Structures are given as C-alpha cells and as structure tokens.
Amino acid sequence: MLYRINTILKLSPQHQLIKNIRFMGTTTHKAASIEDSTRIDPFNLEEFNVSEVVREIHAELKKESAKSELTELSKYYFDGGGKMVRPIISMCTAHAYNCHTNISDPLVYQKQRQVALISEMIHTASLVHDDILDRAETRRGKQSINTKWSLQKSTIAGDFILGVSSKMLAKIDNPDVIQILSQVLADLVEGEFQQLSTIEDESERFEQYLSKSFNKTASLMAYSCKANACLSGASQQEVNNCFQYGRNVGISFQLVDDLLDFVASADQLGKPAAGSDLKLGLATAPVLFAARQYPHLNDLIQRRFVQQGDVEQAFQLVVDSDGLVKTKNLAQKHIAEAVKALETLTDSKYKQGLVTICDKVLNRLK
C-alpha cells in the first residue's frame, strides 16, 4: 500500500511529499517567486526569534496566574515543539507591510508582535480543546494534555490561554484590530460545530469542508495577517490582499494536513496517523474527492465510518482513487493564489519570506 501511495504522489523513499514544486508570481517587476525567495527563510530571521516568542508567551501566562499548576498546564504545549507557522506569518506580514508603507514606529511593531503572540495562543488553546474533544493520546510526539491531566483541568487551561490572549488583545488598544481578531474566536467555534455535523446532500459536502477548513485553520492566519496590515497603515485594498494571502495559505495548510493523514507516519506527525481523521468520523478532501470515483464511499461518510471495516475500506478506496492527487493540486492552487495576493507589495526580504512560507506549507512533512 505504501508503494502505491508513493507512486501516486511521486514520493521519494524518505516520504518527500511534494517534490520541487515552484510557483512563479505575475510578470510584474514587484512579483516574487518561490524560486527567488528560497534564500530568505523567515524561520531563521534573527528579528523573529521563535525561542523568544515562546518565552514571551510563558511570561504572559505566568503573570496572569498565581496557581503554579495552572501555569504548568497552560505552558505545556508552548514547549518550542510546534511549527510556529502562525506567529512567523504574522511577524513577516508586519515587516513586509511596514516596508510597503514606509513605517518604522517601534510602537507599531510592538503591537504587531503582540498579534503574533496572540495568534499562537489562540491556536494552541484550540489544540487543547481539540484534544479533549477527540480524546487524543499524543500531541507533538508527547503525551497529550488531556491524558496527562484531567479533562476538567485541561479544559480550564485552554480557557485560561484564551482569556490571557483576550487581555493582550485589549491592550493593543485598536478597535479595528480587536474586531478583526475577535472574529477568529467565533469562526473556531463555528468550525467545531461544522465538524460535528454530517451534510446529507453530497453536492454540498465539499463546500462545507472548505468552510470548516477556513473556520478551523485559515481564519486565524487570514485575520492575523489582516490585523497587522491594518496596523501598518496599509490601504483597504492592500489589507484585503493580505487577508487573501493568509486565507489561501491557511486553506492549503489544511489540505496538506489532510493529505498527510494518509501518507505520513505517526513519527513524522507526532500524533496518530494512517487515517486518524477517518477514525474520528471525518471526511476530508482526499475522501470527498475519492467519493466522486467510488460513490459507495458516500454511505460510509454518511454514517461517519462507524461500522466495522469502514475505516479500512475508506482508506483503501482513497489510495486507489485520484483523491490524493486532487487534494495536492487544490493545495497548489491556493498557494498560487496566496503568492498572487502579494504581487503589488513592495519588494523586500520579508515579502520574499512570505513566499517562502508558501513553499514550506506546501512541502511540509508534518
């Protein structure tokens, strides 16, 4: 079966997910390409310093709690083991749009950096709540918070992280930014409810899947980008373009995540793999694409793969279909749209870094 998957996706023996994919921007002089931006890795830029981001979050959580155990729980997933995609996107967006608007006010960047911290905190709080709902056993290669502590304490820890991030958001003292980032919380809740439901109309399932993907994953990236572009003083059109960049990167991120659920190992992901979404009753893009070739899959989707043998059968049908290729192609399409959204942005190493992020999202292995 692994050989079959590797053949479909043209993977190397080392599980190279998507090999040497490159997207060119437009032909205008301001356009950046992934090929051009490979020399700028925003994850290695000194001014972003991922370790410092983690330390700042730890400090904020510790400052707001006199209870050592609550601090320990809330810091548990902020261990430097995450991908840190969201704060890097936020900070890179901030610098790129500050260069574009020619603003160099350190107070503005301080607020933009707070947006980056808040984005990671909201994301991590959502992971805590997801693990509780899914009864996950591992996260990032270690014991999940809900198995290390009680469900009640884990729930409180997730709520605490959201509470601290909300207080930090209020301190930014910008009504537009507060409104922008508050939408993320509403979207996360909506996305969770969407995940709990099953759409009976087969023609509406993919639309529901994309809506859920935006709410649960892309919304945070999109609105964090929008908030920092807003703080930079960018025009309304430029702010909208920044939102579209984050939206398309986020949807692509989710599509690749769903692809990895079929092709990556548990060691690579740091959590159970090989159809773990199927075991949770979730029909993701590879399954929905496969159902167009194998209509029988719709019966399994409708009953959320609860009958004995459903998960194994669905997994095999996805592997035998073009669902994995179509998922990869759709992820590529959204990445191309993300790059296009940057075409009017003034050239800078941060703009190039934003395009590099597109490449990393598309080619990640975990």
Side-chain angles (χ1 to χ4, degrees), residues 97 236-246 338 341-342 344:
Y97 277 79
Q236 186 60 54
Q237 183 58 57
E238 291 162 346
V239 169
N240 289 339
N241 288 345
C242 196
F243 173 86
Q244 289 303 323
Y245 169 82
L342 301 173
T344 62

Side-chain angles (χ1 to χ4, degrees), residues 348-364:
S348 68
K349 66 177 182 179
Y350 305 107
K351 175 182 177 177
Q352 293 176 1
L354 288 172
V355 185
T356 298
I357 288 170
C358 292
D359 190 41
K360 287 181 174 291
V361 165
L362 195 58
N363 290 289
R364 67 194 181 94

Side-chain angles (χ1 to χ4, degrees), residues 255-325:
L255 287 163
V256 173
D257 210 48
D258 295 339
L259 189 65
L260 288 170
D261 192 55
F262 286 89
V263 304
S265 69
D267 287 341
Q268 286 174 315
L269 295 179
K271 59 183 178 180
S276 59
D277 286 334
L278 292 173
K279 295 170 186 174
L280 293 172
L282 305 179
T284 57
V287 181
L288 296 173
F289 278 127
R292 297 176 183 178
Q293 276 183 270
Y294 301 105
H296 172 58
L297 259 175
N298 288 308
D299 296 332
L300 279 62
I301 292 170
Q302 185 62 37
R303 63 179 182 246
R304 298 180 72 90
F305 315 105
V306 295
Q307 292 186 13
Q308 186 173 0
D310 279 0
V311 169
E312 293 77 12
Q313 183 181 4
F315 190 92
Q316 186 61 57
L317 289 174
V318 170
V319 171
D320 291 340
S321 74
D322 60 5
L324 299 175
V325 170

